[in-house]
Amino acid sequence: MMGDWMKDYAGKLPDMLADGIRGLIYAGDQDFICNWMGNARWVDELEWEGHEAYNKTEAVEFEIDGEAAWSVRTAGPFSFMKIYGA
């Protein structure tokens, strides 16, 4: 699996969001390689025009059949989703 490794595109996101392109960063709460805490931290620190609005949001939790399945924070065209059990 040559070349199958993480690539950092965070620097491209601010311009894409400014152009109205929607963005979603997601991570499983049990993923050790791309852990949700590290992803949430860089998303919180990402400088973009909606940065302040995003950081004022609270995560909204969603359920499937009465069981928590994921939570998501959204401001404008940008969202961060934490998927439970993944």
Side-chain angles (χ1 to χ4, degrees), residues 50-83:
H51 173 84
E52 290 182 26
Y54 177 83
N55 284 331
K56 291 178 182 175
T57 65
E58 296 288 329
V60 177
E61 194 166 81
F62 291 84
E63 297 180 350
I64 296 176
D65 296 329
E67 189 171 328
W70 72 88
S71 64
V72 65
R73 289 176 64 191
T74 299
F78 190 52
S79 299
F80 175 77
M81 180 185 293
K82 177 171 68 169
I83 303 167

Side-chain angles (χ1 to χ4, degrees), residues 13 15-24 77-78:
L13 281 174
D15 289 338
M16 294 171 64
L17 296 169
D19 288 342
I21 298 171
R22 297 179 62 175
L24 169 67
F78 190 52

